[in-house]
Amino acid sequence: MTSKLNRRSLLTRSAAAGLLSVPAVGALAGCASGGGGGESVERGETSDDNPLGVDPEAELEVVIFDGGFGDQYALDAEAIYQESYGPVRHDKTTEIQTRLQPRMVQGDPPDVINNGGADAMDIAALIRNGQVYDLNELLDAPSLDDPSVTVRDTLMPSTVEMGQFGTEEVWRLNYAFTVYGQWYSRTALERLEVEYPRTWDEMIAVCEAAKRQGMAGWTYPGVYPYYFNFTLYPFIGKIGGVEVLQAIDNLEPNAWRHDAVRAAFEAYHELAARGYVLQGSPGMTHEESQDEWNSYHALFIPNGSWVENESRRNTPADFDMAVGPPTGLDSSDALPFEALWASSGEPFFVPADARNPIGGLEFLRVMLGRESARNFTEQVSSLSCVRGAADGMDLPPGLASAKATFEAAGEHLFVPRLPDWYKQLNNEEIGGAVAAMMAGDLDPAEAIDRCQRAADATASDDSIQKFQHV
């Protein structure tokens, strides 16, 4: 039998016996170990059926973010895992950081964490502290359905890239494949007898038609203003090219003062100045803004493809949900109308100090199998990061639209990294500046200055790890 006694369990047992005192959480923060130092389950024998060498008797602990996707898809994957391996201890929560950060600091984390939602942990900080397990071993393993194909080769574009932070290591797996854009109701556009706007002049005309009928052109969750970035970032990239977004990601001096940024900010400011934004949006949560949108009170909402499942309860049967690429500026745009932000999202990672990290890798391998990937799509109306897994499925209208919109984009895909490289900068500083502009408190030039100052402050802060596009 393999020994399951390690440094952490020795400390725990000694503390329980009163042989040593346990330091406060704050004292442990500076000495959190990484690189698997907290493992308490040794690797077992490898075989064709068990290529990673999972201990077949060891317990696995999985914690799922209980958000728009719920947790049934994970429970179903856990059932598949348990057919070959030990029991799974499952938990779900919306308070990922609140509940799990102390366990990460103490070196006693779960084996797999779905690090999602507004209370997600800062993955860049965890990586910097050596608290995340490198997933390359998983990606180079044979896939569940075809041993001649590696897991890596089954994944959608950008999935591996989204797990990297300027190095060859892959620190997380983003399981959902998300299409970001302007979500709308086909029914609402048909009632107004308008087409989806491809240029900003057309956007103004559509919003004016909605206004005449007592309907707002846009709503958004002002409580979480970074939602606007889901359309603003690709709008900037469409106007000026992907290089503009990469300069922003790289925290380059004056990146926010590019002409493409100015044009995009001025266009969005026009929505607010003309009264096309639903009153009260600055104070709404994501659910409240979605409810207003579902009630035909606004035409467009910046969102990701999780919205169909998240708002399903309040979506009218005749809504006919769809998503389009961000409306372009005009014929001078650097990239075609079809260009959009589409990338893997809904992050999972295995903590370096997990008791059963190999089991965690195997659980993710199960999730990346065709059966689990198709079940995920059926359960939550979202594409997974598994290439072709949704082919031939009868998809709901929003997801069918997202799939078609993604395929129409071809190679013209944006993958902004600011949101995950610099979470606070993206969510609070940039999101806050855009929110203030949309609420009428800043003009575009002031909002841009605020964004640039925040980016410069991040760039000059030596305590923040920096990343670069390679």
Side-chain angles (χ1 to χ4, degrees), residues 216-287:
W218 284 68
T219 187
Y220 67 96
V223 173
Y224 306 110
Y226 57 86
Y227 269 64
F228 245 129
N229 298 346
F230 300 153
T231 53
L232 180 61
Y233 287 169
F235 186 28
I236 292 170
K238 189 176 297 189
I239 296 169
V242 67
E243 298 83 4
V244 181
L245 292 181
Q246 290 182 345
I248 288 173
D249 289 341
N250 290 340
L251 303 178
E252 293 180 13
N254 293 316
W256 284 96
R257 296 194 171 98
H258 193 282
D259 287 345
V261 177
R262 176 187 52 77
F265 274 53
E266 288 177 351
Y268 271 53
H269 182 256
E270 188 176 8
L271 295 176
R274 288 177 176 262
Y276 297 149
V277 177
L278 182 67
Q279 187 174 4
S281 294
M284 291 181 188
T285 66
H286 61 296
E287 292 176 333

Side-chain angles (χ1 to χ4, degrees), residues 57-330:
E57 303 299 324
E59 181 182 71
L60 181 75
E61 183 181 3
V62 177
V63 177
I64 300 296
F65 168 62
D66 188 22
F69 294 145
D71 70 333
Q72 186 59 50
Y73 72 93
L75 289 167
D76 294 341
E78 290 163 13
I80 297 174
Y81 176 92
Q82 289 178 105
E83 290 175 2
S84 301
Y85 305 109
V88 177
R89 182 151 50 106
H90 176 96
D91 194 11
K92 62 180 180 179
T93 180
T94 59
E95 300 177 327
I96 295 294
Q97 177 171 284
T98 302
R99 291 183 55 182
L100 299 184
Q101 189 82 43
R103 292 185 60 184
M104 294 290 294
V105 171
Q106 294 170 11
D108 183 31
D111 301 307
V112 180
I113 298 173
N114 172 202
N115 188 37
D119 194 40
M121 290 180 283
D122 186 343
I123 187 69
L126 297 179
I127 293 167
R128 183 173 64 249
N129 293 334
Q131 295 173 289
V132 187
Y133 198 101
D134 179 11
L135 299 182
N136 270 305
E137 182 179 354
L138 163 67
L139 299 180
D140 293 333
S143 63
L144 198 67
D145 302 300
D146 185 352
S148 67
V149 177
T150 66
V151 170
R152 187 187 304 270
D153 290 336
T154 68
L155 302 179
M156 293 277 271
S158 82
T159 302
V160 172
E161 177 187 352
M162 289 297 292
Q164 294 174 316
F165 287 71
T167 64
E168 292 299 317
E169 290 85 0
V170 179
W171 301 112
R172 68 179 182 189
L173 172 73
N174 285 6
Y175 189 63
F177 193 79
T178 302
V179 175
Y180 302 92
Q182 291 166 188
W183 287 78
Y184 66 101
S185 159
R186 289 193 182 95
T187 301
L189 291 187
E190 289 171 1
R191 290 174 181 174
L192 292 173
E193 299 181 343
V194 297
E195 299 292 329
Y196 185 87
R198 298 170 67 92
T199 68
W200 205 253
D201 283 345
E202 292 175 4
M203 170 62 75
I204 296 302
V206 168
C207 288
E208 186 62 31
K211 187 176 182 180
R212 288 195 297 267
Q213 298 299 319
M215 186 180 190
W218 284 68
T219 187
Y220 67 96
V223 173
Y224 306 110
Y226 57 86
Y227 269 64
F228 245 129
N229 298 346
F230 300 153
T231 53
L232 180 61
Y233 287 169
F235 186 28
I236 292 170
K238 189 176 297 189
I239 296 169
V242 67
E243 298 83 4
V244 181
L245 292 181
Q246 290 182 345
I248 288 173
D249 289 341
N250 290 340
L251 303 178
E252 293 180 13
N254 293 316
W256 284 96
R257 296 194 171 98
H258 193 282
D259 287 345
V261 177
R262 176 187 52 77
F265 274 53
E266 288 177 351
Y268 271 53
H269 182 256
E270 188 176 8
L271 295 176
R274 288 177 176 262
Y276 297 149
V277 177
L278 182 67
Q279 187 174 4
S281 294
M284 291 181 188
T285 66
H286 61 296
E287 292 176 333
E288 289 168 341
S289 63
Q290 288 163 189
D291 287 347
E292 294 291 338
W293 174 61
N294 283 156
S295 300
Y296 294 108
H297 294 160
L299 280 179
F300 300 111
I301 189 169
N303 222 312
S305 45
W306 61 80
V307 67
E308 185 167 35
N309 187 66
E310 191 170 64
S311 65
R312 178 183 297 175
R313 178 173 52 87
N314 293 326
T315 303
D318 66 352
F319 198 70
D320 200 5
M321 190 180 296
V323 61
T327 296
L329 191 63
D330 53 38

